[in-house]
Amino acid sequence: MTDRTELADFLSRCRARLAPTDVGLAPGTRRRTPGLRREEVAQLAGLSVDYYARLEQARGPQPSPQLLVALARALRLTEDERNHLFHLAGHEPPRTRRTLTHLQPALLLILDRLHDTPAQVVSRLGDVLAQNRMAVALFGDRSQLPPRERNVIWQWFTDPTSRERFAGAEHDELARSHVANLRAIRAAQPDDPEAAELVDELLAVSEEFARMWARHEVARRRDGRKTVLHPVVGPIEVDCEVLCGARDGQLLLVYTARPGSESAGRLELLRVLGSQQMTESRL
């Protein structure tokens, strides 16, 4: 059963210890008490303000595991704190698919600080685990998708619309790199059930993936350049830097445009448009 009183106290204290700058928000003015506001936590977790307020008032319903994962990320909880949150809510902490359930607070802090640069954290298998606002503006928001659809390889080979954001001339190269990276991971970790499951499912639903898999091309994910076709600001050529985290095979992908280029100007325009939309949503 949910311990509503303890859950409310824990959420409130975790919220109070965070400053807006800790989570990539502007500090603002006229804060009567330290910490984040309830509406800010709700925004970060993708919840309604009323729902989150009821949790802190010890009168909300039992949160789902998916909601608890979102709250743990919004409040920058450590793994032990995340597990404590699950216990208070009456759920067992996640024991499988670990890379999909928890990100280290330090990695999220880096993501938040990249306020003018698109960046996202992905698992070794291509699951998008977290995005900053610029990455959402550039690629779209993946946080509300079902777990399998957050995987960039799965989407590439099962959802034709996922390719619309990338230049057609680069499609074959991107597809080959997805398959070659997955092939390398599958061989390096033959007992990994997540990798085996993803490969088996893709072989069953995509003839294109099956043809490419049969080529036996191998190449781990590396830095590269791609052209993103943004529906508002137009094509943006970006360099993707791949930075490896110390735990769980998580990767930080950072997308930059060459200084002074037309793409850099469009990326800056995208940042301004995103900031305006965030301001308007709070009015």
Side-chain angles (χ1 to χ4, degrees):
M1 298 294 292
T2 302
D3 189 335
R4 288 181 171 79
T5 300
E6 287 293 309
L7 177 63
D9 181 70
F10 184 60
L11 290 173
S12 177
R13 292 181 182 277
C14 290
R15 174 172 62 85
R17 73 186 183 188
L18 288 173
T21 53
D22 292 335
V23 295
L25 298 176
T29 58
R30 302 177 62 183
R31 289 181 180 266
R32 298 179 180 178
T33 57
L36 298 178
R37 298 186 176 106
R38 285 176 176 172
E39 56 265 30
E40 290 170 334
V41 175
Q43 173 191 322
L44 291 168
L47 311 175
S48 72
V49 178
D50 177 69
Y51 185 95
Y52 180 75
R54 283 187 285 139
L55 289 178
E56 279 204 10
Q57 294 165 355
R59 60 186 184 89
Q62 183 184 36
S64 68
Q66 293 80 7
L67 189 149
L68 294 173
V69 169
L71 281 173
R73 291 182 181 175
L75 294 168
R76 305 307 190 247
L77 302 186
T78 65
E79 189 169 0
D80 290 338
E81 290 169 337
R82 189 259 341 239
N83 292 345
H84 182 64
L85 178 68
F86 268 76
H87 288 139
L88 292 179
H91 292 290
E92 278 296 310
R95 303 297 182 186
T96 60
R97 296 181 68 83
R98 189 166 180 260
T99 55
L100 288 180
T101 59
H102 189 70
L103 280 80
Q104 297 304 312
L107 195 55
L108 286 171
L109 178 61
I110 295 173
L111 199 66
D112 294 330
R113 295 295 172 88
L114 297 171
H115 62 277
D116 61 351
T117 303
Q120 52 190 14
V121 180
V122 302
S123 74
R124 69 193 188 285
L125 294 178
D127 300 292
V128 177
L129 308 179
Q131 299 172 284
N132 66 5
R133 290 188 183 87
M134 282 293 290
V136 171
L138 185 62
F139 297 112
D141 187 0
R142 296 178 182 269
S143 64
Q144 303 304 314
L145 296 175
R148 178 55 85 208
E149 293 179 24
R150 296 176 208 159
N151 184 280
V152 294
I153 307 176
W154 176 263
Q155 277 211 318
W156 184 270
F157 287 102
T158 63
D159 181 5
T161 63
S162 67
R163 306 188 183 195
E164 294 176 355
R165 284 283 177 105
F166 301 95
E170 300 173 3
H171 284 186
D172 183 65
E173 181 181 353
L174 288 171
R176 290 176 62 185
S177 68
H178 284 321
V179 178
N181 182 65
L182 186 55
R183 168 71 79 172
I185 293 172
R186 185 73 182 90
Q189 301 172 345
D191 297 327
D192 184 345
E194 294 179 34
E197 179 183 7
L198 179 58
V199 171
D200 289 344
E201 290 180 3
L202 283 167
L203 288 172
V205 300
S206 173
E207 292 183 3
E208 180 187 12
F209 177 85
R211 289 196 304 271
M212 290 189 167
W213 186 259
R215 296 177 186 174
H216 212 123
E217 295 178 337
V218 181
R220 297 303 295 265
R221 187 188 298 272
R222 296 290 189 270
D223 302 341
R225 182 174 299 171
K226 60 186 67 177
T227 304
V228 181
L229 305 180
H230 194 273
V232 176
V233 303
I236 305 175
E237 189 176 79
V238 294
D239 293 308
C240 176
E241 300 290 335
V242 181
L243 308 177
C244 298
R247 299 179 59 184
D248 303 325
Q250 294 172 358
L251 306 174
L252 175 63
L253 309 185
V254 182
Y255 303 88
T256 59
R258 292 189 174 182
S261 67
E262 187 175 1
S263 290
R266 289 175 176 172
L267 205 56
E268 173 61 17
L269 177 59
L270 189 62
R271 183 191 68 79
V272 173
L273 291 174
S275 298
Q276 290 177 345
Q277 291 172 354
M278 288 295 296
T279 300
E280 292 170 358
S281 68
R282 294 173 184 170
L283 296 179

